[in-house]
Amino acid sequence: MHKRIGILSLVVGILTAGIAQSPAPVRADVVWDHWKQAESLVASGNTGAAVPHWKYLTDYYAGAGEWENAALFSGKLDAYYDAIGDYDQAIHYYEQENQYWVNAGKDWGAEKLQRADQIRTTVELYREESNEQIVQQRTQLQGIKLAKFEPAYGAYLGVYSELDPKVGNIFTKMQTVYGKKHAIYLAYSPWGKSFPSAYAKRAKEAGGALQIAWEPHSGLDPVTDGAYLRSWAKEAKASGIPIFLRFAGEMNGAWVEWNGNPAQYIAKFRMLHDVFAAEAPNVAMVWSPGDVPANDIDPYYPGDAYVDWVGVSLYIEPYSNGDPTQPSMLATSNVERLTRLYNTYADRKPLMLSETGVPHYSHSAGEDYTEWAKLNLQRLYEIMPYKYPRLKAITYFNVDQQMDNAKNDYSLSTSSEIQNYYSQLIENPYLLSEVKEAAKPADRVGYVPIDADHQSFTKQTRVIPFIKIPEVYIGKVEYLLNGRVIATQTSLPYGLDLKAGEVPEGSVLQLRVWNKTGKQVAFRTYGISSQVSVNINGKVQSFEQAPAIVNGSTFTPLRAIFEAMGAKVDYDAATRSVTATKGSTIVKLTLDQRTVYVNGKPMELEEPARLVNGYTLAPARFVGETFGGTVNWDGATRTVSITTK
């Protein structure tokens, strides 16, 4: 088993003043004057006064297309603003510096983008959504069938447990130790060795699938179609379980033996795809780079026809490569590290975190990072699947590395606090325990961002904030609804339950965030509303036009409910009248008129039926009781319940 853990130091150029060239004599003296003036001010300790000169030089060199010099002076600006805590300005110049390096044909700005992400304040809100149509609009590709073993929505729980002292390779122990069965178990297997049948057997016993990291440690040349491969494929089929085959992962990294020849890699991957398509249809092909170096990922992609899932190895840690002499990496969030890969491939394939982990202890530094680990474990299991709805599997690398490689403790069971916290997080049904085609959470609940398109909910919901601040650690989160504080949280995991009755139409939900020193560092405002929901005989109804409150009365879609109760409905556009018939009962009404007729007898409504967005809405009690139903109203969840005889 090979293991490369830790955030590898991103390769950047040596950004020194020597990169820039002095202006040629033919240039205007003003350029040289700005340059020398800035140097003089910095030397005298008045760095802030040098800023206007650096801005002038940045703009001058960018305008002249001298991108390296433009990048250099942008670098001076981003470093200055970062140092004084003006993070918005720092982010602007970090991003600008990266763009100038790109314009210069160099990838030296990757580290600057990473720093921009570290200091960017983020406050996003996600909420539960029980309407499957809304959820699946975000989780499935339009007009394209699901990939092999792809869930309709939700994310498979996966784990590498071999070095977990409480589980080992007895995968059935996962439920006992962590409270929930996992869907995918990870095993490492070198090319040239036999199919890992013992792992497959134990995965089958646990009701799970197997992810196999198949690694050609002698390079790609020995990877050929022959007796070994065909036998391996037949054993994979005979295992009788879903297999996610991750061949030669992290191929974009110089630390693996199969790096360096994208064309050869693609040819081998395609060959393997064709063999398994013929020999083992229970095998899904997973193409899985590391998230760094990012610029070397795309050349290795084998093509949509040969890839079932796109995976990635994605880790964060307190210090780069576990080295405490390097700058702290605590401000790096796992959420942003997926953005580039997701934006490139999510509209083509489902994604998985083939390997991921969050350490709670640094052996090299002798430091405990439990709070930091809890912050990022919530991001891993709650925020990332909601923010990236095409992320549909997460496999956790459950290992205490001691002083090997990254020198971090990623283990879930070496800390009772982390073990209990992980168990709490994975209780969520959205994290799936069984691999099957078109799998769904047992409660049929998904998640959407609270934005202009997803402000309204029915009955009740849970809102989950993604909060990231430059200071890393959050002191307090305060929730305000329509100007009133309704909850305050000072401990993880963050989240709040809301009932529909508390959130009338047009409500405003606000979040205030403080850091550990007590300084307010973020304040965000979101529109949020609840909608009336309707149950008929206990079944939640779905309408194209939602129910509404009109002049204090609850209005529901007339045709949809009448038809659900077995009535026949006709509409006469000329007279704007509705006739509904069920058995011997005939109901007639005219839009915007209070008088309705039931079997010819008039009755008065408190509010007349009316047309809303082309749909007829009428008072809920009248609609429910007309054909003999019993109507009840739950104000807490704003739910109309109709029980028919």
Side-chain angles (χ1 to χ4, degrees):
M1 179 187 71
H2 101 285
K3 196 73 244 124
R4 187 278 312 170
I5 290 295
I7 306 300
L8 292 182
S9 297
L10 298 176
V11 178
V12 295
I14 302 173
L15 308 180
T16 66
I19 292 177
Q21 303 298 315
S22 299
V26 295
R27 290 183 180 148
D29 289 341
V30 68
V31 178
W32 181 244
D33 288 344
H34 278 290
W35 191 315
K36 299 304 292 183
Q37 188 75 353
E39 289 181 346
S40 175
L41 289 166
V42 171
S44 68
N46 193 4
T47 305
V51 167
H53 301 287
W54 290 336
K55 288 183 177 180
Y56 175 89
L57 292 164
T58 298
D59 293 342
Y60 172 81
Y61 284 116
E66 297 185 34
W67 301 116
E68 292 192 10
N69 282 342
L72 173 68
F73 286 109
S74 292
K76 293 181 181 295
L77 289 164
D78 55 44
Y80 170 75
Y81 284 118
D82 196 343
I84 67 170
D86 189 343
Y87 296 126
D88 288 340
Q89 287 275 48
I91 290 167
H92 168 75
Y93 285 107
Y94 278 130
E95 292 176 340
Q96 179 173 283
E97 181 185 355
N98 172 71
Q99 186 57 55
Y100 291 163
W101 286 125
V102 170
N103 292 351
K106 303 181 185 300
D107 62 358
W108 295 348
E111 190 174 72
K112 301 307 179 88
L113 287 183
Q114 178 175 273
R115 180 58 185 163
D117 280 337
Q118 288 179 337
I119 60 176
R120 181 177 283 110
T121 295
T122 301
V123 181
E124 298 172 351
L125 265 182
Y126 298 85
R127 67 166 179 82
E128 294 178 334
E129 174 56 68
S130 57
N131 186 317
E132 285 194 76
Q133 182 178 359
I134 293 174
V135 173
Q136 292 179 193
Q137 284 174 351
R138 300 184 71 237
T139 59
Q140 294 183 22
L141 297 179
Q142 189 78 21
I144 300 176
K145 70 176 185 178
L146 296 171
K148 188 177 292 187
F149 308 133
E150 180 185 350
Y153 58 103
Y156 292 133
L157 264 180
V159 67
Y160 174 66
S161 67
E162 189 169 20
L163 299 181
D164 182 342
K166 293 186 179 180
V167 178
N169 284 333
I170 311 302
F171 301 148
T172 52
K173 290 184 177 181
M174 281 300 297
Q175 185 165 5
T176 303
V177 175
Y178 296 105
K180 188 171 183 177
K181 184 171 78 74
H182 283 49
I184 300 173
Y185 299 92
L186 170 59
Y188 294 88
S189 182
W191 176 272
K193 300 295 183 180
S194 60
F195 176 80
S197 55
Y199 292 90
K201 179 176 180 293
R202 288 168 178 164
K204 189 172 186 178
E205 290 170 350
L210 192 66
Q211 182 200 147
I212 301 175
W214 204 12
E215 302 177 334
H217 293 297
S218 297
L220 293 170
D221 289 343
V223 179
T224 58
D225 188 0
Y228 164 71
L229 174 57
R230 296 286 171 164
S231 174
W232 202 99
K234 288 174 182 177
E235 287 190 67
K237 179 181 179 181
S239 70
I241 61 172
I243 292 175
F244 296 90
L245 184 58
R246 174 165 53 115
F247 171 70
E250 303 176 17
M251 77 300 295
N252 56 315
W255 54 88
V256 297
E257 297 88 342
W258 45 92
N259 167 262
N261 190 334
Q264 185 186 29
Y265 175 86
I266 289 172
K268 301 296 184 180
F269 193 101
R270 290 179 173 182
M271 179 271 294
L272 291 175
H273 167 274
D274 292 346
V275 169
F276 284 101
E279 299 281 3
N282 60 317
V283 171
M285 296 296 294
V286 181
W287 175 71
S288 185
D291 74 311
V292 292
N295 291 337
D296 293 336
I297 291 175
D298 300 335
Y300 286 90
Y301 186 60
D304 292 348
Y306 300 92
V307 173
D308 294 307
W309 288 66
V310 169
V312 64
S313 296
L314 188 156
Y315 292 88
I316 57 173
E317 55 183 337
Y319 301 102
S320 182
N321 295 320
D323 183 357
T325 67
Q326 298 296 314
S328 169
M329 296 291 287
L330 290 177
T332 298
S333 159
N334 42 13
V335 178
E336 288 82 9
R337 295 190 73 92
L338 185 61
T339 301
R340 182 191 180 280
L341 193 81
Y342 188 89
N343 289 345
T344 304
Y345 295 101
D347 62 351
R348 300 149 81 171
K349 300 293 173 181
L351 270 70
M352 68 164 59
L353 299 183
S354 310
E355 292 181 17
T356 191
V358 180
H360 57 84
Y361 190 83
S362 168
H363 290 293
S364 56
E367 296 171 351
D368 183 90
Y369 288 101
T370 296
E371 184 178 2
W372 180 78
K374 291 171 70 175
L375 183 67
N376 285 289
L377 281 170
Q378 184 183 20
R379 291 169 178 170
L380 179 61
Y381 286 101
E382 288 199 327
I383 302 305
M384 293 183 75
Y386 309 161
K387 183 179 181 69
Y388 306 114
R390 298 279 297 149
L391 174 62
K392 295 192 173 183
I394 302 171
T395 299
Y396 193 85
F397 188 72
N398 190 13
V399 174
D400 180 1
Q401 288 207 297
Q402 298 295 328
M403 288 299 286
D404 297 330
N405 294 318
K407 309 174 182 64
N408 293 313
D409 187 355
Y410 293 87
S411 174
L412 298 167
S413 66
T414 55
S415 162
S416 59
E417 185 173 356
I418 291 295
Q419 180 177 333
N420 292 335
Y421 186 74
Y422 175 78
S423 297
Q424 177 185 349
L425 289 175
I426 67 171
E427 287 177 358
N428 186 349
Y430 196 77
L431 300 170
L432 305 171
S433 291
E434 182 182 2
V435 172
K436 59 182 180 181
E437 302 288 354
K440 297 179 180 180
D443 62 359
R444 297 298 192 262
V445 171
Y447 294 83
V448 295
I450 296 181
D451 57 23
D453 295 325
H454 303 102
Q455 290 185 352
S456 297
F457 69 94
T458 58
K459 293 189 177 181
Q460 60 186 27
T461 193
R462 181 167 181 80
V463 298
I464 303 97
F466 168 38
I467 302 170
K468 188 177 70 65
I469 59 176
E471 299 88 344
V472 181
Y473 295 111
I474 298 163
K476 181 173 69 173
V477 180
E478 191 173 72
Y479 303 83
L480 299 87
L481 184 62
N482 298 326
R484 180 175 62 88
V485 176
I486 58 171
T488 299
Q489 294 176 331
T490 57
S491 60
L492 291 156
Y494 301 119
L496 178 69
D497 294 315
L498 292 173
K499 289 191 174 181
E502 304 168 332
V503 189
E505 285 87 348
S507 291
V508 174
L509 182 64
Q510 296 170 304
L511 267 70
R512 287 198 186 112
V513 181
W514 282 262
N515 63 18
K516 288 289 189 179
T517 67
K519 178 184 177 182
Q520 182 176 313
V521 292
F523 183 70
R524 298 289 188 273
T525 298
Y526 302 87
I528 189 169
S529 297
S530 67
Q531 291 181 343
V532 173
S533 59
V534 178
N535 293 347
I536 299 179
N537 295 328
K539 184 178 180 181
V540 178
Q541 303 299 301
S542 179
F543 306 115
E544 293 184 25
Q545 170 60 49
I549 302 294
V550 180
N551 297 331
S553 297
T554 302
F555 275 58
T556 54
L558 185 144
R559 177 185 290 274
I561 294 178
F562 275 180
E563 290 181 344
M565 297 174 70
K568 180 177 180 295
V569 181
D570 293 307
Y571 176 67
D572 185 342
T575 61
R576 302 180 76 238
S577 62
V578 176
T579 302
T581 305
K582 181 182 179 183
S584 60
T585 302
I586 301 174
V587 178
K588 292 186 177 182
L589 61 85
T590 302
L591 296 179
D592 300 319
Q593 294 187 14
R594 292 179 183 273
T595 304
V596 300
Y597 297 88
V598 180
N599 290 335
K601 295 181 179 180
M603 62 177 292
E604 295 294 314
L605 302 178
E606 290 186 7
E607 291 287 339
R610 61 195 65 198
L611 208 60
V612 177
N613 296 326
Y615 295 89
T616 301
L617 268 61
R621 189 165 297 280
F622 162 74
V623 174
E625 292 179 346
T626 295
F627 292 112
T630 301
V631 179
N632 289 300
W633 168 252
D634 181 356
T637 61
R638 302 184 79 197
T639 301
V640 176
S641 295
I642 301 172
T643 304
T644 61
K645 294 179 180 179

